[in-house]
Amino acid sequence: MINGAHIVMYSRDAEADRGFFRDVLGWPYVDAGHGWLIFEAPPAELAFHPAEGEPSHELMLMCDDLDATTAELTAKGVEFTQPVTEAGWGRVTAFRLPGGGHISLYQPLHPRAHGR
């Protein structure tokens, strides 16, 4: 039986991105050896959206209060790369990782799969 999911993020600077998740986001982790950190992710949801081109994947982190979370992360030096967008399903923005990648952050306004 499937008992979890392992998300792999490819990065131009994996060490810096590991440090970001450890020090800025404060995610719990284990060291799998030689500084290879594996993070405990918060509860996750999986959704399928239609694609017109090649299928792709996107990681979106969720929060309860987008304004408070962006203020907290901005105070820690996080660079937001997208203004907050209001949509019927939620409020969304994005921030830059030290390794050059971007992650979306959103406050869902739709029913949540966890905590039903």
Side-chain angles (χ1 to χ4, degrees), residues 1-90:
M1 182 61 145
I2 295 171
N3 63 6
H6 185 89
I7 300 164
V8 177
M9 301 278 297
Y10 293 95
S11 170
R12 288 187 217 118
D13 190 343
E15 188 173 324
D17 287 344
R18 289 180 197 126
F20 179 84
F21 272 74
R22 180 192 62 222
D23 302 333
V24 176
L25 298 184
W27 284 22
Y29 63 90
V30 296
D31 188 328
H34 310 288
W36 196 277
L37 307 183
I38 298 176
F39 293 90
E40 177 186 332
E45 299 176 341
L46 175 65
F48 291 89
H49 293 240
E52 294 183 18
E54 284 295 312
S56 63
H57 312 296
E58 179 179 9
L59 174 63
M60 299 179 80
L61 301 180
M62 296 185 290
C63 64
D64 292 327
D65 183 335
L66 189 64
D67 296 328
T69 303
T70 56
E72 177 185 341
L73 293 174
T74 298
K76 293 180 177 182
V78 174
E79 177 190 357
F80 283 85
T81 57
Q82 174 183 319
V84 173
T85 302
E86 307 282 341
W89 49 268

Side-chain angles (χ1 to χ4, degrees), residues 92-108:
V92 65
T93 187
F95 60 86
R96 184 181 318 277
L97 292 173
H102 296 263
I103 293 183
S104 295
L105 173 67
Y106 88 108
Q107 176 183 338

